[in-house]
Amino acid sequence: MEKRGSVYIIPDENKILEDEFYQGILKNHIEALIEFSKKYNLNYNFTEEDSVNAPYVIAQDGHLVIKIEESSGLVCCYIPKVVTDRQNSWIHNNSQKLKKYRIVGGFGLEDTNTKKKPIEINGLDDIIRICNKRNMFYERKEVNIYARKKI
């Protein structure tokens, strides 16, 4: 059976040590999201009906999700509110791989507390720009932690 697509999940390095989760897809992208949850004991309990919401849930938890659909040439990125150094590096290091697809877009997730809808992002350049901007929040957060340390 031919591969229908693939899923990359670049975990938040503060939660999962592995650099990247990758799985080729035969039927539905939810297969990879279920496998990710099982592998890292995340207890998401996704089912086939969760194929639309599951990437949002994983990104809301701080992980960068990239779904690739080979037949349509579509890449969809789900970008967490704060992008870690590892996630930002992955986007930059794999931009050539993503450029070969016909349509590249995604969603930038917001805080769960604000109940705002995710922002739609069109094009790889905008995805990289959003990741860079959201990575600055990560950098600032780390600086603040060390700035308040008592010596």
Side-chain angles (χ1 to χ4, degrees):
M1 187 176 233
E2 192 176 322
K3 186 173 81 164
R4 182 171 176 216
S6 54
V7 171
Y8 291 90
I9 301 174
I10 297 68
D12 175 341
E13 56 258 42
N14 298 309
K15 297 179 181 178
I16 296 173
L17 293 177
E18 239 174 83
D19 286 347
E20 168 186 291
F21 173 89
Y22 169 83
Q23 185 170 323
I25 303 303
L26 297 176
K27 286 194 247 172
N28 192 330
H29 288 85
I30 191 71
E31 299 165 13
L33 305 175
I34 290 169
E35 189 57 38
F36 177 75
S37 179
K38 281 183 192 170
K39 181 174 181 174
Y40 299 108
N41 299 314
L42 301 176
N43 300 319
Y44 289 130
N45 299 319
F46 296 132
T47 64
E48 293 284 328
E49 289 78 43
D50 295 318
S51 61
V52 173
N53 290 328
Y56 290 101
V57 171
I58 291 173
Q60 199 72 59
D61 204 20
H63 311 296
L64 176 64
V65 179
I66 291 95
K67 285 177 27 178
I68 299 173
E69 179 71 48
E70 293 295 338
S71 61
S72 63
L74 172 69
V75 174
C76 190
C77 302
Y78 299 83
I79 304 169
K81 177 72 179 156
V82 175
V83 173
T84 67
D85 292 342
R86 175 197 295 164
Q87 294 164 343
N88 201 37
S89 293
W90 192 95
I91 281 289
H92 284 272
N93 294 340
N94 290 278
S95 63
Q96 290 303 318
K97 182 190 304 183
L98 299 176
K99 271 184 186 172
K100 74 177 188 178
Y101 292 96
R102 209 167 48 85
I103 303 167
V104 179
F107 300 95
L109 277 76
E110 299 296 331
D111 256 335
T112 48
N113 304 337
T114 61
K115 302 282 186 221
K116 284 186 185 175
K117 283 187 170 185
I119 58 167
E120 286 187 34
I121 307 163
N122 295 310
L124 184 58
D125 290 342
D126 283 348
I127 286 171
I128 290 171
R129 188 177 50 73
I130 297 274
C131 285
N132 287 340
K133 187 175 177 183
R134 290 179 176 212
N135 182 246
M136 290 187 331
F137 293 129
Y138 179 71
E139 295 294 328
R140 199 173 309 129
K141 202 163 76 173
E142 267 192 10
V143 169
N144 288 342
I145 291 169
Y146 295 115
R148 294 185 181 141
K149 243 184 190 177
K150 291 183 181 179
I151 301 175

